[in-house]
Amino acid sequence: MITTQQSPYLNVLAKKRAWTPVQVAKGQVTEGAESTLLKALALRHLEIPVKELLEEGMKRELPSTPGLIETLRSNQDDEDRHLEALNYVADAHGTDAKSEREVMSILKAWNEHPAHPILKAGIMERSVFFVALPFFRQTGDVGMRTVSQDISRDERVHTVVNAMVSKELGEKESQSLDKLRAATVAWLFDDLSASSNQWLNKDFWLRQSQSLFWTGKAPEMAATRSSRCPAFFESPNTSLPNYSK
């Protein structure tokens, strides 16, 4: 049996924490964030396509590094859980029909881009999901914040793994992928303006996405990394997450 010491992929995989999505109740969100939150929620339709990108990537020649396939399979399973959790949020808050349609065009553009599917999955998670999830966390209600925290823990593993695979394959970011990333995030935050509140400031989020794309880091978002645990009085028991070892 391959151990975590023998496989960098299994070592990363071991950092995951199991959790189960639960129904959430609708609460108060930050004024001015409402339409952008619904756009971020529409991005849940990219969860299963990310799973499919990983499947497509595994059909190609991959490095023979121990634990790679097992880790990618685990990450695929996470996408089903993410969609379930976000669907619970959609059930509580409703959806915007226009945003739900527009995200299908965004998905089409990502699918048609010729980059390696595992690189595309990594870029999507790193520079799109990692601004959408903190937006939920900073401007959403307790249900959105909790779901964001749970998904973000998985996504941190995903982005590390996808970056490792892409590096082994020699696949790198490109200007065309950056344009696709920029167009996606511009759509997401288009309803925001130059607010004095950084969490409602369009330029702030566009800047974070660009930094995440090129460097994998967003120092200005350090505050979003702090743990967010729902207090018992903030939400009904049905909205509290279930965790297991």
Side-chain angles (χ1 to χ4, degrees):
M1 177 180 291
I2 301 169
T3 66
T4 56
Q5 288 74 28
Q6 295 171 315
S7 168
Y9 290 103
L10 293 182
N11 185 52
V12 174
L13 180 60
K15 301 181 187 301
K16 282 188 180 180
R17 179 184 182 186
W19 59 282
T20 302
V22 298
Q23 292 182 338
V24 298
K26 182 177 181 179
Q28 185 67 39
V29 304
T30 301
E31 184 177 355
E34 298 88 350
S35 62
T36 304
L37 285 168
L38 291 178
K39 282 187 173 181
L41 191 54
L43 289 174
R44 73 191 186 283
H45 295 300
L46 301 184
E47 294 287 349
I48 300 305
V50 165
K51 177 179 179 178
E52 293 168 348
L53 285 173
L54 296 182
E55 186 66 30
E56 182 183 345
M58 284 187 284
K59 292 178 181 178
R60 302 188 185 188
E61 184 175 351
L62 290 176
S64 57
T65 311
L68 188 158
I69 297 299
E70 180 180 346
T71 302
L72 289 177
R73 290 292 184 199
S74 174
N75 290 351
Q76 281 187 303
D77 292 340
D78 292 337
E79 305 301 343
D80 294 311
R81 183 165 53 253
H82 297 176
L83 180 59
E84 182 182 359
L86 291 167
N87 278 339
Y88 282 137
V89 176
D91 289 343
H93 286 266
T95 59
D96 175 68
K98 183 171 182 286
S99 297
E100 298 282 309
R101 290 194 304 271
E102 290 174 342
V103 84
M104 293 297 108
S105 296
I106 291 171
L107 173 59
K108 184 174 184 291
W110 281 92
N111 281 335
E112 291 178 349
H113 192 282
H116 192 285
I118 292 180
L119 175 63
K120 286 196 291 184
I123 292 299
M124 195 183 298
E125 291 177 318
R126 183 172 90 214
S127 59
V128 178
F129 291 180
F130 267 6
V131 287
L133 291 169
F135 189 79
F136 276 132
R137 199 164 179 177
Q138 296 300 323
T139 67
D141 63 1
V142 64
M144 289 177 171
R145 296 196 302 266
T146 303
V147 167
S148 169
Q149 176 178 294
D150 291 331
I151 293 177
S152 292
R153 275 196 304 268
D154 289 342
E155 294 292 3
R156 282 193 286 272
V157 172
H158 294 190
T159 56
V160 169
V161 170
N162 290 333
M164 290 166 63
V165 176
S166 296
K167 183 177 181 179
E168 287 201 76
L169 291 171
E171 298 288 343
K172 298 181 179 180
E173 299 85 355
S174 65
Q175 291 292 340
S176 60
L177 269 175
D178 186 37
K179 289 181 180 179
L180 180 55
R181 183 275 315 163
T184 302
V185 177
W187 168 83
L188 173 59
F189 294 111
D190 185 57
D191 295 334
L192 300 181
S193 59
S195 172
S196 59
N197 178 345
Q198 70 174 359
W199 309 125
L200 297 178
N201 187 303
K202 177 180 179 179
D203 290 340
F204 170 82
W205 292 107
L206 299 184
R207 193 164 62 246
Q208 306 321 302
S209 176
Q210 183 179 45
S211 180
L212 285 163
F213 178 88
W214 288 111
T215 72
K217 300 177 182 179
E220 291 181 90
M221 287 203 299
T224 70
R225 292 197 295 267
S226 58
S227 180
R228 177 65 173 85
C229 297
F232 71 90
F233 53 80
E234 287 187 291
S235 183
N237 289 338
T238 53
S239 293
L240 297 176
N242 293 327
Y243 300 111
S244 61
K245 294 181 179 180

